[in-house]
Amino acid sequence: PFISLDQPADATDLYAFVSPDRPDTVTLLANYIPFQLPASGPNFYRFGDDVLYEFNIDNNGDARDDLTFQFRFRTVFNNGDTFLYNTGPITSLDDPDLNQEQFYSLSLLEGDTQNSPQRQGRVLADNLQVAPYNVGPASYPNGYRTVANQAIYPLDNGIKVFTGPRDDPFFIDLGGAFDLLQFRALQGLPPVDDLAGLNVHTLALQVPIAMLTRSGALPSGPKDPNAIIGVRTTSYRQTTSVLRPVGGPGPAFPQVRSSEGPWVQISRLDNPLVNEVVIPLRDKDRWNGSLPINDAQFLRYVQDPELARLLNGILDVDVPPTPRADLVAIFLTGIPDLNQPANVTPSSQLRLNLAIPPSANPSRLGILGGDNAGFPNGRRPLDDVVDIELRAVAGATPFTPTFNRAPNNTLGDMVNANDVAFLNVFPFLNAPHDYAGASYRASGMPNTGAGGAKTTPRRR
């Protein structure tokens, strides 16, 4: 409940997959700031300058961070005598008509948090520029993509990085899901992706696999003990925020708010739909501030999920009995012989086997569709996690074969793909919608107009 009131720090989705365009790398995507309307001027969405954003990597299965990539942002307003985001057409990132700019640093913390609470950090890049918002076709006469692609930065260590607005890649009948599971398709209505035409802000990293493993080398194969990582994204604010009155005369751009003190985790995202559906209201704020090492406190919600009881009570679907060891494997330990680390400490993380190559024929149902390169082995944008998780909670998996039957193995919202195609290369998510091509007013119909330096140690 708390994080829903803090959009800049609110993570919406996390993805981790072996990169199809560079199979010796992993792509990490974290989306923030939900439900962005394309027509959102004059103050368009942006990352929080007072928010610390992270990708966290556990590469030995002990539920503690071993690598942390940090993003810190700063905003520049070049002309305070206009209300405009841009004072003329924008043809490049350094165009003088781009009035509101945002820059960031990318840093890396290394070391086991169990043995080295104050880990060593280094800045990988500084003063990189965020892709601007897609204001509209008149503002980008050569096309928005021409400018946004300039915000893709290859670094000397083999990393690629991008930050900026993107099309929201998550697809779901969101209205029906939270109307007591009454998906439109169940009501005889056309299925609708309620996130069609909306945007998010994306942190995108493409990292060499050898940089992520505890051995510092490519895994020899899927059974290599160094092949599996756990991923999550987190955001933080400092403990103290001070507001200052600015109504009197003074300088332009007065400092309205400042922050100080230790960083406090306020958002956490790993496996999709865990904090939305598995964790109940009473513990959602606790979840968002929690660490994987303490996930035993949430075990009962995985072993006896409310969603399973709803499937039974509302849709009359017979589900496996509790406690659900099958869901513990999927959400907390990883699946044996696929993405379960040796001597794993159970915890909710998006677990990925780095040695399983990208699929030549990916299935939207991931592992349930016979595609071991998909969710819950990591997560790709095309993975239909709504259908996959509904069927898993109903027991339609190899763990509980007697429940792998209709209707359990046919559950879904019938929204089977995103409203716009994904890219084949980094950053994989498509350009953000502009107001001219936005489809959110058309009940989710397909959109054809999309696109037209500081290292911060944390104190627990």
Side-chain angles (χ1 to χ4, degrees), residues 12-16 169-173 183 195 270-274 276-277 307 330-331 350 363-368 374-393 411-413 415-418:
T12 68
D13 282 286
L14 173 69
Y15 304 85
F170 191 36
F171 46 98
I172 180 176
D173 179 353
F183 299 117
L195 300 180
D270 38 68
N271 280 306
L273 301 176
V274 168
E276 294 89 349
V277 174
L307 180 58
I330 292 169
F331 288 110
L350 186 58
S363 168
R364 70 176 180 90
L365 294 175
I367 291 174
L368 293 185
F375 181 76
N377 180 36
R379 181 187 178 190
R380 305 163 300 191
L382 65 87
D383 289 333
D384 192 345
V385 297
V386 174
D387 288 12
I388 295 170
E389 292 194 0
L390 281 172
R391 297 178 191 189
V393 171
L411 290 172
D413 63 353
V415 179
N416 298 336
N418 193 39

Side-chain angles (χ1 to χ4, degrees), residues 432-449:
H433 303 266
D434 63 33
Y435 75 94
S439 61
Y440 62 92
R441 290 185 298 272
S443 299
M445 296 301 292
N447 183 327
T448 59

Side-chain angles (χ1 to χ4, degrees), residues 14-29 55 57 69 158-161 204-213 218-219 227-231 350-356 358 378-379 426 428:
L14 173 69
Y15 304 85
F17 52 95
V18 177
S19 312
D21 62 336
R22 294 173 64 202
D24 61 341
T25 70
V26 164
T27 294
L28 306 174
L29 306 172
F55 285 110
I57 310 297
F69 295 92
I159 291 177
K160 278 187 178 181
V161 61
L205 275 180
Q206 197 170 69
V207 185
I209 288 175
M211 193 172 180
L212 299 177
T213 63
L218 287 170
I228 299 168
I229 61 172
V231 184
L350 186 58
R351 300 190 190 276
L352 174 65
N353 190 318
L354 304 170
I356 295 178
R379 181 187 178 190
F426 182 83
F428 296 100

Side-chain angles (χ1 to χ4, degrees), residues 143-217:
Y144 174 81
R145 298 172 195 273
T146 301
V147 176
N149 286 346
Q150 296 172 25
I152 300 173
Y153 293 97
L155 307 183
D156 293 338
N157 50 17
I159 291 177
K160 278 187 178 181
V161 61
F162 168 89
T163 66
R166 295 279 94 180
D167 160 68
D168 190 334
F170 191 36
F171 46 98
I172 180 176
D173 179 353
L174 193 64
F178 290 97
D179 185 20
L180 300 178
L181 301 181
Q182 296 304 300
F183 299 117
R184 291 171 172 91
L186 293 178
Q187 304 175 50
L189 301 172
V192 172
D193 175 10
D194 286 311
L195 300 180
L198 301 180
N199 300 325
V200 290
H201 264 58
T202 297
L203 308 173
L205 275 180
Q206 197 170 69
V207 185
I209 288 175
M211 193 172 180
L212 299 177
T213 63
R214 58 179 168 175
S215 64

Side-chain angles (χ1 to χ4, degrees), residues 16 22 71 89 91 121 140 151 163-164 186 195 200 203 223-224 234-235 331 361 382 405 420 430 433:
R22 294 173 64 202
F71 296 77
T91 57
Y140 297 96
T163 66
L186 293 178
L195 300 180
V200 290
L203 308 173
K223 295 187 181 299
D224 188 324
T234 48
S235 66
F331 288 110
N361 297 291
L382 65 87
R405 62 179 190 270
V420 294
N430 217 319
H433 303 266

Side-chain angles (χ1 to χ4, degrees), residues 58-107:
D58 169 17
N59 60 20
N60 58 13
D62 66 353
R64 299 179 186 273
D65 300 339
D66 299 294
L67 300 168
T68 298
F69 295 92
Q70 295 184 332
F71 296 77
R72 295 291 310 275
F73 292 87
R74 63 181 180 87
T75 302
V76 175
F77 299 96
N78 296 312
N79 181 356
D81 294 323
T82 177
F83 65 86
L84 292 169
Y85 182 86
N86 52 293
T87 55
I90 303 167
T91 57
S92 68
L93 276 183
D94 58 0
D95 195 307
D97 287 324
L98 180 55
N99 185 38
Q100 299 183 30
E101 299 174 299
Q102 200 166 41
F103 300 88
Y104 66 100
S105 65
L106 172 64
S107 302

